[in-house]
Amino acid sequence: MYEKYRECGFLVTTDSRALTGGEIFFALRGENFDGNKFALSALEKGAAFAVVNDDAELGDDPRLVPVPDPFTALRELAIEHRQNLDIPVIGLTGTNGKTTTKELIAAVLSRKFKVTATKGNLNNDIGVPLSVLTITPDTEIAVIEMGASHPDDIAKLVPVSQPSCGLITNVGKAHLLGFGSFEGVKAAKGELYRWLGSHPGSFIFLNEDDADLKPMAEAQPCAKHGYGIDYQGVELIPATPAEPFLRLRLDGRMICTQLVGAYNATNVLAAIAVGEYFGVSREDAISAVSSYEPTNKRSQMVKTERNTLIVDAYNANPSSMSAALDNFSHVEAPVKLALLGDMRELGTDSVKEHAKIVWKLCSEGIDAYLVGDEFRKALAQLGIDPCSGETCICGCFDDSEALASFLEENPVNGAMVLVKGSRGIQMEKTLAKL
C-alpha cells in the first residue's frame, strides 16, 4: 500500500467529490454511509486506486484494492508514513482554542519552515490519518490537531500522529456526555502528555499559569517549554470600540491581533513560544500573529451596515461560553446584545451549566436572546420568564431560524452583538439579519 501511496504523489481522499485526479480513494463504511458505492465512479473521475472492502463485489478492475477494512488500512498507512518521516511533529489538543492555536502556530512557523498543518477541523479518527498523509517529503515541521469527545479518542490518535512535542490548550467542561466528568476530560486530553512522557526526547509546551495542566505535565519526565500571561508578565490592553481586537504587551512589545477576546491571549503566547523554540525570531512571530485573520466563525469581528458582530459561532461549551461572556462584559460599547445557543453534549450537567450562563448574563447585565431547549429548561429552573421584561433575558427561541425571523421583524441597530452556540444550533443563521 505504501508504494501505491508514493506512486500517487502522497495524495489520498475519502471523498469522491473532492477528486482532482491521481489519488488513492479509501471507501469508508459507517452507520449511514458506504464509500464502496462510489469506488467505481471515483476511478472514472481519475482516482489511481480505490481501497474497498473485500466483500463489496465490485468486479476485477486492477485499480481496486480489496482489504478487510479500508478504515484500518487508512490508519495503518498513516502510521507507516509517519514512521518514515524524520521531522518534528507538534501534536495539539484541548477543550477550547485548539484550531485557532493550530492556525497561529502554523502561521508563525511558516515564517521559517515549510509547514504542513491540519486543514480545517480534520481532527478525528478519520481526519488525523488524512492529515498525517498530507505531510509531503518537503515538509519541515507538521502541526497535527487532535479532537476528542470520548475517553479513548486521544489515546487512539497519538499512535497515528506520533508527536515529538505537544501542547494542550486547556481542559474544560465539554462533551461531558461522552467523558462522564471533568476528571474524564483531563484524563482523555492527558493522553497526549503521557505519550510524550513515554518517548525519550519529546517535550511539552506548557501554559505555566494553568492550574489543571501544570500538574498533569509535571507528572511526565519530559522537558517543558513554558508560556503564560502571568508567567511572562504579559499586559492585556482593554478592548474599546475604536480598538476592538485583542492587544497585548510582551516584553515591552505591543502585539496587535485581528482576534476578538482576551481568552485568545494564551493561544497567541503558545504560538510565539513554539516559534521561539524552533528559532523563529520574535519579530517574525509577532508579525505572523498580527497578520493572522480568522475566517472560520471563531473569534471573528464582523461589521455589518447596522451592527458590529463578535462571531464565535463554530462551537460552545461552558468554559468557552463563560470566557466569551467575560470578554464581552469588558468590551466598551453603548449597546450590547448576546445571541446564545444551547451547549450540546453536557449530559446530566446540562441544565445546571446552562443555568450558570443565564446567571452570568443577569449578573453582568448583558441583554440576551437565547436559543434551544436546554436554555429554556434553565430559565424554568431559575424561575425566569423571558417575556416578562423584568430581566436581561429578552427572549428564548426554539431554534436559530425562529430567532432569525424575530430579528428580521425587530431589527437591532447600533449594537455590539456576540453570537455563540454549539455547532448543531447553527447560530450563524442569525447573521444575515444583523
Side-chain angles (χ1 to χ4, degrees):
M1 182 74 73
Y2 193 71
E3 288 305 314
K4 289 183 172 62
Y5 169 63
R6 289 170 62 91
E7 288 174 24
C8 293
F10 305 94
L11 297 174
V12 299
T13 186
T14 60
D15 186 350
S16 61
R17 298 167 299 181
L19 285 164
T20 58
E23 301 95 334
I24 299 179
F25 170 70
F26 282 81
L28 304 186
R29 270 181 181 166
E31 291 183 8
N32 302 309
F33 61 89
D34 185 355
N36 292 283
K37 295 179 180 179
F38 305 100
L40 296 179
S41 64
L43 294 175
E44 291 174 1
K45 292 178 181 178
F49 301 98
V51 181
V52 298
N53 286 88
D54 53 15
D55 62 357
E57 299 181 358
L58 294 171
D60 56 359
D61 190 310
R63 295 172 295 171
L64 293 171
V65 183
V67 296
D69 178 23
F71 169 72
T72 300
L74 176 69
R75 177 184 168 88
E76 290 175 349
L77 178 60
I79 291 172
E80 184 175 1
H81 181 50
R82 173 65 185 95
Q83 290 170 342
N84 281 280
L85 297 169
D86 186 22
I87 60 170
V89 173
I90 303 167
L92 188 149
T93 190
T95 300
N96 303 313
K98 54 185 175 291
T99 299
T100 298
T101 304
K102 176 257 299 182
E103 295 288 340
L104 288 168
I105 290 172
V108 169
L109 291 176
S110 292
R111 293 300 174 106
K112 183 176 180 179
F113 303 99
K114 171 69 174 178
V115 178
T116 296
T118 299
K119 289 183 172 59
N121 64 331
L122 287 174
N123 61 13
N124 60 10
D125 57 348
I126 297 172
V128 169
L130 288 174
S131 296
V132 170
L133 290 168
T134 64
I135 303 174
T136 57
D138 61 341
T139 299
E140 295 174 302
I141 296 182
V143 187
I144 302 297
E145 178 184 336
M146 294 173 285
S149 56
H150 298 90
D152 60 350
D153 283 348
I154 299 299
K156 290 178 179 178
L157 296 177
V158 285
V160 179
S161 60
Q162 299 177 35
S164 54
C165 54
L167 184 150
I168 301 177
T169 56
N170 48 57
V171 284
K173 294 179 178 179
H175 302 295
L176 294 181
L177 185 62
F179 290 122
S181 67
F182 178 54
E183 290 302 314
V185 175
K186 291 168 65 176
K189 305 290 186 184
E191 290 292 343
L192 174 57
Y193 285 170
R194 283 186 279 278
W195 167 274
L196 296 170
S198 64
H199 288 76
S202 300
F203 57 94
I204 293 169
F205 293 103
L206 174 64
N207 182 352
E208 295 278 357
D209 299 339
D210 195 303
D212 292 307
L213 293 179
K214 193 165 183 179
M216 291 166 58
E218 289 177 344
Q220 303 304 323
C222 52
K224 285 76 176 183
H225 188 81
Y227 64 92
I229 295 171
D230 293 337
Y231 180 73
Q232 295 176 272
V234 173
E235 178 189 0
L236 300 183
I237 312 301
T240 68
E243 296 284 354
F245 297 112
L246 169 67
R247 294 175 296 158
L248 56 153
R249 188 173 283 110
L250 171 63
D251 296 334
R253 292 283 303 275
M254 177 73 83
I255 303 173
C256 300
T257 77
Q258 298 179 66
L259 295 162
V260 177
Y263 50 85
N264 276 304
T266 53
N267 302 335
V268 168
L269 294 175
I272 292 173
V274 172
E276 179 180 67
Y277 183 88
F278 286 106
V280 178
S281 72
R282 177 65 61 86
E283 182 178 355
D284 281 346
I286 291 175
S287 175
V289 166
S290 300
S291 300
Y292 172 72
E293 184 176 355
T295 57
N296 49 16
K297 299 184 178 67
R298 292 180 170 92
S299 303
Q300 281 181 263
M301 179 75 75
V302 178
K303 291 191 176 183
T304 70
E305 292 182 0
R306 303 198 311 270
N307 302 289
T308 299
L309 315 182
I310 298 174
V311 183
D312 200 4
Y314 187 82
N315 219 334
N317 55 61
S319 52
S320 70
M321 187 76 84
S322 181
L325 290 175
D326 284 340
N327 178 74
F328 196 52
S329 68
H330 290 96
V331 172
E332 297 178 10
V335 180
K336 293 195 289 189
L337 177 66
L339 310 183
L340 306 182
D342 274 355
M343 301 173 288
R344 296 283 181 86
E345 298 182 43
L346 296 180
T348 56
D349 288 335
S350 184
V351 175
K352 179 178 72 174
E353 295 296 341
H354 282 81
K356 288 180 181 179
I357 297 301
V358 173
W359 180 253
K360 192 175 188 71
L361 288 165
C362 294
S363 299
E364 299 288 349
I366 300 173
D367 289 339
Y369 290 117
L370 307 177
V371 175
D373 291 338
E374 298 306 293
F375 270 126
R376 195 179 299 281
K377 292 173 187 176
L379 292 171
Q381 185 182 83
L382 294 170
I384 294 175
D385 179 1
C387 299
S388 67
E390 297 176 356
T391 71
C392 63
I393 308 302
C394 305
C396 189
F397 298 83
D398 292 338
D399 51 42
S400 57
E401 290 94 338
L403 175 55
S405 296
F406 175 84
L407 293 172
E408 187 170 27
E409 297 174 3
N410 302 270
V412 174
N413 294 291
M416 177 75 75
V417 185
L418 170 65
V419 184
K420 188 168 180 64
S422 278
R423 183 86 298 275
I425 301 296
Q426 298 181 301
M427 290 299 291
E428 66 272 12
K429 291 183 178 180
T430 65
L431 301 180
K433 309 304 179 183
L434 294 166

